[in-house]
Amino acid sequence: MTTPMIEIKGVHKFFGDLHVLKGVDMTVQQGEVCVMLGPSGSGKSTLLRCINGLETISAGRVYLEGELLGMREKKHGDKVVLHELHDKEVSAQRARIGMVFQRFNLFPHMTALENVMEAPVQVKQVPKAKAQAQAKKLLERVGLGDRTDHYPAQLSGGQQQRVAIARALAMEPDLMLFDEPTSALDPELVGEVLEVMRSLAQEGMTMVVVTHEIGFAREVGDHLVFMDDGKIVEEGNPKEVMDNPQNPRAKDFFGKVL
């Protein structure tokens, strides 16, 4: 068996007294598209942010290809004590994970090309000429080869989100996380973003996708995770979970959206 891309063990997250994640266990295999569904406030986006290190988990562990994220285990006698990694080490781990948000978060003063080039040049010290050539290829890959010199304000929402996907891919990540990437888009622009995500899945990119796009989840997902109230209450093959949910909350949810 290959090492899972992501392994989440007993993860809890508190914001003050608010208990948002309540002992989440989840495994995502390499090359798998894991789709996460569930009502708003169920903890899906928080879990993504914990995987990416944007939120510090309160308890539990997250592993990326067998490597503990954000922490290092040290033995003190019979006890194993967790120590937080230095910022530089956390940044190196995070560089292996691409993340695409609801809002595109592009730099407004930079062209599409400059947005895609920025992280490889600044974080990985890739020479500018090489980063530029790579950025052009990535923009072509997401169907924006003719928009390299456009600023975000000159692009539609769907085009901006495709630039954001190219920007995440520019770091050559092992894993891509998508946090409701189409929820801020006009309905007619959703398809162009989902098409790019479909092509990534076909190329074997490991993806965790929080989405309300039921058709995409059914068609492209290998593994569906349904969350409610900070817990995973049902998971499995997307078609089987959607067509025959066992958990009462999942039955109610899919009864309303299908």
Side-chain angles (χ1 to χ4, degrees):
M1 276 287 287
T2 55
T3 306
M5 181 62 74
I6 284 287
E7 204 165 4
I8 296 167
K9 295 185 174 180
V11 165
H12 290 260
K13 177 62 183 176
F14 288 88
F15 292 102
D17 293 333
L18 186 63
H19 195 181
V20 179
L21 297 176
K22 303 175 180 178
V24 174
D25 295 297
M26 184 171 114
T27 301
V28 179
Q29 301 298 340
Q30 298 196 24
E32 187 172 74
V33 179
C34 174
V35 287
M36 299 180 67
L37 280 79
S40 295
S42 56
K44 307 180 300 294
S45 293
T46 301
L47 184 58
L48 277 199
R49 293 173 70 84
C50 287
I51 294 171
N52 199 34
L54 294 172
E55 298 288 355
T56 306
I57 62 176
S58 306
R61 292 172 192 196
V62 179
Y63 296 88
L64 176 66
E65 293 183 279
E67 181 184 337
L68 184 60
L69 292 182
M71 301 280 183
R72 180 179 287 113
E73 293 176 337
K74 286 188 179 175
K75 278 200 168 182
H76 289 272
D78 295 334
K79 283 188 177 178
V80 174
V81 180
L82 289 177
H83 294 268
E84 284 190 18
L85 294 179
H86 297 299
D87 288 347
K88 199 171 181 182
E89 294 170 297
V90 171
S91 294
Q93 288 183 335
R94 194 182 288 161
R96 296 168 60 195
I97 304 172
M99 186 151 178
V100 178
F101 301 86
Q102 292 180 38
R103 298 287 169 184
F104 326 121
N105 298 346
L106 298 176
F107 297 115
H109 62 289
M110 291 185 180
T111 63
L113 188 69
E114 289 166 342
N115 264 283
V116 178
M117 287 172 59
E118 181 71 1
V121 170
Q122 298 298 333
V123 178
K124 294 174 95 174
Q125 276 74 56
V126 174
K128 275 196 173 176
K130 185 178 177 185
Q132 186 180 62
Q134 182 198 29
K136 282 181 176 175
K137 279 185 186 170
L138 287 169
L139 286 168
E140 282 172 15
R141 185 174 171 188
V142 299
L144 293 172
D146 60 343
R147 295 286 191 275
T148 55
D149 296 330
H150 286 57
Y151 289 90
Q154 298 170 308
L155 300 171
S156 70
Q159 289 169 336
Q160 289 184 59
Q161 191 60 294
R162 285 187 280 154
V163 174
I165 293 171
R167 181 180 59 180
L169 291 172
M171 290 295 284
E172 300 179 326
D174 300 321
L175 168 71
M176 285 283 283
L177 307 177
F178 293 86
D179 187 8
E180 297 191 25
T182 59
S183 65
L185 299 178
D186 292 332
E188 67 267 25
L189 302 177
V190 168
E192 63 193 50
V193 173
L194 293 181
E195 193 51 47
V196 171
M197 293 169 66
R198 247 184 222 102
S199 70
L200 288 177
Q202 287 164 357
E203 290 164 18
M205 174 63 76
T206 310
M207 296 157 62
V208 181
V209 184
V210 172
T211 184
H212 292 296
E213 300 293 338
I214 300 296
F216 176 86
R218 179 188 284 271
E219 179 194 338
V220 181
D222 300 303
H223 174 198
L224 186 150
V225 167
F226 182 83
M227 287 189 73
D228 185 50
D229 192 30
K231 300 176 200 149
I232 293 173
V233 297
E234 189 155 354
E235 63 180 312
N237 176 280
K239 295 181 182 71
E240 290 171 13
V241 173
M242 287 183 196
D243 293 342
N244 190 26
Q246 302 302 303
N247 177 272
R249 188 67 186 90
K251 275 184 184 176
D252 181 55
F253 180 88
F254 289 116
K256 287 174 180 168
V257 301
L258 290 177

